Amino acid sequence: MTYRLTRRHPVLFLLMVWCVCCIASRSWAAVSTAQPKANPEAMVTLGNARFTLLTSQLVRMEYSDTQTFEERASLTFINRRLPTPRFTQVRQGKQLRLQTAHFELTYTDDGQRFHAGNLQVRLLSGPGNTLWTPASQDPHNLKGTLRTLDQAKGWNFAEKLEQGLISRSGWALVDDSQNNLFDGAKDWNWVTPRTADGQPNRAIDWYLFAHGNHFKQALYDFTQVAGKIPLPPKYAFGYWWSRYWIYNDREMRELVKNLRDFHIPLDVLIIDMDWHETYGFTGKNLVKDPQGEWRGWTGYTWNKQLFPEPEKFIAWTNQQHLKTALNLHPASGVPTMEEKYAEFAKAYGFDKPGEYIPFNMSEKKWAQTYFKTLLQPMQDWGVDFWWLDWQQFLQDKKIPSLSNTWWLNYTFFTNLESTGKRPMIFHRWGGLGNHRYPIGFSGDAHTTWETLDFEPWFTATAANVGYSYWSHDIGGHVSNDKPTDGEMYLRWIQFGALSPILRTHASKISLIERRPWMFPQHFSAMRDAIQLRYSLAPYIYAEARKTYDSGLAFVHPLYYDYPEQELAYSYKSQYAFGEQMIAAPITTPVAAKTQLAEKKVWLPQGDWFELSSGSLLTGDAELLRRYALHEIPLFVKAGSIIPSNPQVQNLQQRPEQQILTVVPGGPGGSTQLYEDDESSNAYQNGKFTTRAVSSQQLGGQRLKIHIAATVGSYQGMPNSQRFTLKLLNRELPSSVQVNGIKQQLVTEFLPQEMATLVHLPPLARHASASITLEFEHSLSQQDRLFDGNKGFLQRVHMATEQLKFASALSDWGGTLPNAVYEAGNVTNLLQYHPHNAARYMVQLNAQKKSLRSTLQSLPYVKPEITMPLADFLELESP
């Protein structure tokens, strides 16, 4: 008997999309309110096998000798109740064929477990004629991530990465058969073994991601069944100060003062393990405690010699608008020396006085006592989150199949979530499903150029398992007994500024330095990188919101956006930084002769604006670029609009104005401004706003910017906004109209950035505005005139200083040719006469052509000095 069934439920589809968006969006809430049982219409059973069509490209395949199929949520897959995709099924005796728009599954019930002879899935889209069977290997998997980079020295860790959810094979398989489950408890959803006797599960529980090269869809589908990637609180995207060092109360206050005095913004203050009593622990005094761990590694009692009144110290951090985290190593449970020992023992019912209370986080009562007794009092003071630095036994002692790393992430995150605040933790990766519990701590990597070179690829590749927020020890952790290399530390900070999280850190080694002002030669560039991070914060936060909506990390490999381009796979050290940017951090030293570092980059099709130089570059090309110490390879799509901050002290400070940075090139661009309350989970329930902004070249000399009315609302939303247009590579406008009315607005020209500012009047939330700017020169003319001159003039200023000192060696006056002075003075002239910017650019472009010859002809400076300077300025030969 043969029959065919086709199912279409457009109304149900819309309803279920809404439900999934509301349900699979929290962690405790996601796990406890998600619906792990799939829609019955999506499940097809034949004999001992069951197939669940979760999406048109994702199928769950189960086999049970007893025909007992698992309906409970696993630690990874928590929400299987998705809209049933359209599919057909054909049964003929013991044969079954299921077909969606993207794959065809064929199964023969031969009484055996799944094998290559009875089960196959053929992809109907993607690379070639792809066929999967249970015997298939996946040599082209694009990898995911791994628990830690402890002791990593670079690319030696690349092969250790776990399998990812996307592959150039066209498919990826997740074996969930042995994964633990959630018990569905309403008070606190808790772990339970898959089998009652704790023995390995004989049933098969597989998830096949049959997405071809539709990589973005694969991540979206994953987050529909495994929970969304939460949006961290906004302060998380600021600068984190961290250092394994013995600080006291006074030193912490002095550190914060120094950061402020040097105009380095700061949001997060992490205090490593010496905040608590360590009972004589040092690297040379490693004594084992009764739990078999280092004595003093675990602790919850404040060291009053360092922090005599810890509650007042935490109150001070709150007054300074700093978010504070404390380091924890919980492996020894509750030592007898702890202040809270007796209170914990009484609440928990521990009746062995004088003995350590063993770590037992997999027991709910122990966990509840732990959080209520040990941590909640400090959270009430104002400790914002916890750094879980778990380095001990990986598997739980009561449930051997349970990863302590995974479970600690879950319990700490959901405990904070239960307080009503937007939760965040800081810990290593525990495995699939941990994308629901950011932020990741990548561990103790070595301080080497090779490690720095590896981390951009490692960070972006984690997107392949939804792990979107790795935080590295910027600068490296282990120094190998070498003093800090200022150049390497600078490049690490520059990478950190374009990473998910920017956190400097290092081991307790006196040779290591992490205070930027202790590197005079590199300090200015270090601070500039941190301030760049803060200026991009509105863009980063909006991109992080897209991560929550789409399942795709805003830092991700380029093959997500260009899956058909082979070069997207081979340029491993560059990555997408949101939808509008490509970052390619420098990970090698500058050449001694030119003081430039070479970087080969691939730019996809289209025009790209190099932010450091101010150059428009044509894509679909591999380019060899060279960068001075202060320059960062960051490429922005031509015509983009980037929401930006003015200078701020931290991200908890809501600036009165928002800058809309308009990138030159292209016919126009658009963006969505995003806002929410920045600190609660209300964004998951529709409490946020968006505001569309677009630009359009009207031909010739006119540019139109449209700012739409705000859509949505959130608690504390201001009634109006102030915007400043920042027009890169643009002269001052000759006229400005707002909604068709000519206005005299305040405008400025920034010579250091080759940018024009146009300050707009306040705009009500419900109002829109169209701004038309007219210029003396056409937009395409300005593109050519300003091109590359921002970076050139910055290098001229640096080179002029070098020439003065070099010429002084052989000429008492240190005199330079007028052509050199004239080039350097353009910045001053722009300051004095900003309306003549285009004319000065014409003159400067002419000077550049002869400047190399001028340098070559200097009679009193040796060629070995002038030629590297000419190369540094990247002057062409006449």
Side-chain angles (χ1 to χ4, degrees), residues 254-314:
E254 186 67 23
L255 174 69
V256 171
K257 181 180 183 300
N258 287 336
L259 286 162
R260 298 266 167 82
D261 288 345
F262 283 105
H263 303 290
I264 298 173
L266 178 68
D267 270 271
V268 177
L269 191 64
I270 291 187
I271 309 174
D272 214 319
M273 61 176 286
D274 288 296
W275 69 269
H276 65 73
E277 290 283 0
T278 58
Y279 311 106
F281 171 82
T282 69
K284 297 180 180 180
N285 184 33
L286 301 178
V287 178
K288 290 295 182 71
D289 64 22
Q291 298 298 305
E293 306 299 334
W294 293 336
R295 185 176 186 270
W297 203 245
T298 296
Y300 304 94
T301 303
W302 281 83
N303 185 337
K304 301 295 178 58
Q305 302 302 312
L306 300 177
F307 298 91
E309 296 192 57
E311 186 174 358
K312 290 184 177 179
F313 171 74
I314 296 299

Side-chain angles (χ1 to χ4, degrees), residues 13-25 35 79 81:
F13 174 80
L14 294 173
L15 176 62
M16 290 305 297
V17 166
W18 179 84
C19 290
V20 168
C21 291
C22 294
I23 292 170
S25 60
Q35 300 182 54
N79 187 71
R81 191 86 172 185

Side-chain angles (χ1 to χ4, degrees), residues 735-761:
S735 71
V736 181
Q737 292 184 6
V738 179
N739 293 331
I741 301 173
K742 191 172 183 178
Q743 297 196 14
Q744 296 294 322
L745 300 180
V746 176
T747 60
E748 300 176 61
F749 188 81
L750 305 179
Q752 298 290 346
E753 300 186 59
M754 291 294 167
T756 282
L757 300 182
V758 179
H759 301 284
L760 303 179

